[in-house]
Amino acid sequence: MTTNQGVPVADNQSSLKAGLRGPALLKDFILREKITHFDHERIPERIVHARGSGAHGYFEAYKPLTSLTRAAPFQEAGKRTPVFVRFSTVQGERGSKDTARDVRGFAVKFYTDEGNWDLVGNNMPVFFIQDAMKFPDLVHAVKPEPHHGMPQAGSAHDTFWDFVSLMPESTHMLMWAMSDRGIPRSYRMMQGFGVHTYRFVNGDGQSSLVKFHWKPLLGTHSLVWEEAVKISGCDPDFHRRDLWEAIESGAYPEWELGVQVFSEADADKFSFDVLDATKLVPEELVPVTPIGRMVLNRNPDNFFAETEQVAFCTAHVVPGIDFTNDPLLAGRIHSYVDTQISRLGGPNFHELPINAPLAPVHNNQRDGMHRQAIHRGRVSYEPNSLGGGCPFQTGQMGFVPFPEPIQGDEMRGKPEKFAEHYNQARLFFDSQTAPEKAHIIAAFRFELSKVTVPAIRTRTLAMLRNVSDELAGGVAEGLGMDLPEAMPRALPRTPKPEVKASPALSLMALPGEQGIRSRKVAIVIADGVDGAAVAAVQAALAKEGAMGRLVGPRVGPFTTAQGKTLEAEASFENEPSVLFDGLVLPGGEGAFAALAGNGQVREYVQDPYRHCKTILALGSGVDLLAAAGVPTDGDDAGLLAFAKGKANAPAAFVKALSLHRHFERETDPPRV
Ligand code: HDE
């Protein structure tokens, strides 16, 4: 062990004192160096997206896209570009819970051959506001209220709803945020979107407009609200742990990158403006073409050095990728570099290993806080002759901005199509399945029930009336309110939307291609449990890449009916059933009788039932269901109860588990 100066440390246990019971001495430079460094261990957290988790991986192109773009990752089939991805929540502070109802960040840094490209997106394809001018207002409104610093990581409070109910442009995004997308099951099970319309530019300088989509191979899946609330108590790191464990176990999460490509002429004809980030381009209007896949296969070595210090910037584009005039994007191009300077303590954050491009860097920028590079020689200017002219500019080989013609006079304002706020909100709501609609209504009801100022609730309902009376009526009923008049619209005539229903907007549209891979199932054991049934279920799960975890009244060994020992890895107390995707009560003569009277065990069984998860009960396990008040007589595809056992029960369980949830069981309020 040494000090930071490389001096060997003889004693790392005690400070230097004048006598064993005497005062500590100022000259103890070893103690002072250690404490001073410790005092400065924290850096400012991100203003938004403070809480996040990251992973390394690669992007692999399916085929060359040279006719569309000269961007390095898309030039050859099979070309692999290293990436670092950071997923995040938006509202909460760095230590806040993972399962808050919130938008999730989905930021990808591509270390391309021609420099770093950051695609800094979200898990929702639209945003709350249209113009960067409103971002600080939005964030101030949603963050904990300034007088008392509450609530943490939650939008269910007055200032957020006050702001959004005065900003009808937020209506569409509110639909997404109040939908199940706001409480994903896992970072690995969410879509990602670039949100803004970007440009592809090919080698001839021709440009097309492009929207980016990430599609998870595991499908899109979510939690239910009550489950998310309970998880936030028993495992605030739920999503961080899930991502970490999946990668450690070799179940590498994978996404397909797709693009919607269209021309400016197409865009001009759309009923909405593609520069408006509160609008998406329906897939039924412009299909999504898959262009490659991303695999995350390595956890960071050090959370701080990589996940915390990674600096994503929308300004980081490479030749072949360019911006459009989206006014929200314009603000972001400025903001991200600026924020890194204060967060990472100066302009040299690009030298931190996680931010450094793999492509070589040559320029005449010098000095500044925390400079790592040692520039040699006396030339730090261009043009020069003393350095042989190096480094010299690259001309057409370099980043050449797309020469977009400038139109109009300088002014503050918005194009007319920006004033239509409800067509796509309605499209989203109408395209949801019945349980998803019910969840949206419940989410609005919950959030607004936390709003203390009645006028804010009324104004929000007035806004929702422009989306759907089914939605507004459901929310009003849940709040015991009458429906107000609809909020007046800005445009006298609403542009006619191209698409009336977009099934792709439902989470159910992407069940995934990987079945139950990496899902976690709790298998309850106790003394006397049927060890053969446990083994059969575990084998069936393992075959599909899922994990059966033995949970007991305590951790440690239990004796099976067959006289063998099974080790409970977890207990009812340390891993409540909300942390699992499914539950198995394997049976065994008398195994569960002692548990039936226990309230904690009843809750262990009731929770997955109420959260519409798959449950398998065999033999005496069925009695435990009954003791928990779970009805076993109904027609429920997710509740497999076989009092006399059943040979193919494990296979049936695996099949039912692959459906993720059984919302046909759901009653609201829940019936157990
Ligand atoms: Fe961000 N955003 N943002 N944002 N954002 C930040 O940058 C900002 C917006 C997004 O994992 C900050 O490094 C402005 C849209 C992600 O490190 C900051 C505006 C979208 C992340 C910032 C927006 C995003 C950030 C905070 C409106 C989806 C986390 C710390 C003009 C497309 C990246 C930081 C990570 C982070 C500013 C709007 C996504 C302050 C000014 C729209 C995923 O610079």
Side-chain angles (χ1 to χ4, degrees), residues 9 27 31-32 60 94 139 147 183 191 205 277 332 350 354 407 412 449 471 508-509 511 519 563 582 596 655 659:
V9 174
K27 68 177 182 181
L31 173 78
R32 285 180 42 223
E60 185 177 80
R94 187 155 52 195
V139 174
H147 55 311
I183 39 174
Q191 278 173 290
R332 297 183 70 201
H350 60 281
I354 192 67
Q407 305 159 355
R412 294 185 192 274
S449 74
L471 167 62
M508 311 287 174
R519 292 301 185 113
K655 190 158 167 249
L659 298 174

Side-chain angles (χ1 to χ4, degrees), residues 46 49 86 121-122 135 195 312 328 332 335-336 339-340:
R46 291 166 174 81
H49 297 266
R86 184 174 178 273
N122 277 344
F135 191 66
V195 178
F312 292 96
L328 195 66
R332 297 183 70 201
S335 173
Y336 289 66
T339 206
Q340 308 311 346

Side-chain angles (χ1 to χ4, degrees), residues 3 30 54-55 81 100 199 211 213-214 244 260 269 288 327 349 386 420 426 439 480 511 533 621 655:
T3 67
I30 292 180
T81 302
R199 282 179 189 283
K211 291 264 189 189
H213 296 241
W214 294 107
W244 179 273
Q260 288 175 294
K269 290 189 221 119
V288 179
F349 59 86
L386 298 182
E420 198 291 308
R426 184 177 318 116
H439 296 168
K655 190 158 167 249

Side-chain angles (χ1 to χ4, degrees), residues 55-177:
H56 294 271
Y58 62 85
F59 172 77
E60 185 177 80
Y62 287 157
K63 55 180 188 191
L65 290 187
T66 39
S67 63
L68 285 175
T69 173
R70 58 169 284 205
F74 308 122
Q75 297 308 291
E76 290 164 41
K79 164 87 183 168
R80 286 192 176 182
T81 302
V83 297
F84 185 78
V85 179
R86 184 174 178 273
F87 303 107
S88 47
T89 54
V90 179
Q91 310 156 19
E93 292 165 9
R94 187 155 52 195
S96 59
K97 61 197 177 191
D98 275 343
T99 53
R101 173 175 293 287
D102 202 350
V103 183
R104 299 298 187 287
F106 192 125
V108 183
K109 188 179 282 293
F110 292 79
Y111 302 89
T112 89
D113 295 343
E114 293 202 291
N116 286 355
W117 170 35
D118 295 350
L119 184 57
V120 198
N122 277 344
N123 74 331
M124 300 176 189
V126 289
F127 202 62
F128 291 102
I129 49 166
Q130 299 172 319
D131 193 297
M133 194 65 132
K134 299 310 297 169
F135 191 66
D137 298 297
L138 167 72
V139 174
H140 287 172
V142 74
K143 281 271 179 180
E145 297 194 10
H147 55 311
H148 55 22
M150 293 189 281
Q152 180 59 251
S155 53
H157 59 115
D158 284 350
T159 55
F160 176 70
W161 288 95
D162 185 29
F163 176 77
V164 291
S165 64
L166 291 166
M167 293 286 292
E169 70 198 47
S170 66
T171 313
H172 185 198
M173 180 63 165
L174 286 173
M175 295 295 129
W176 287 82

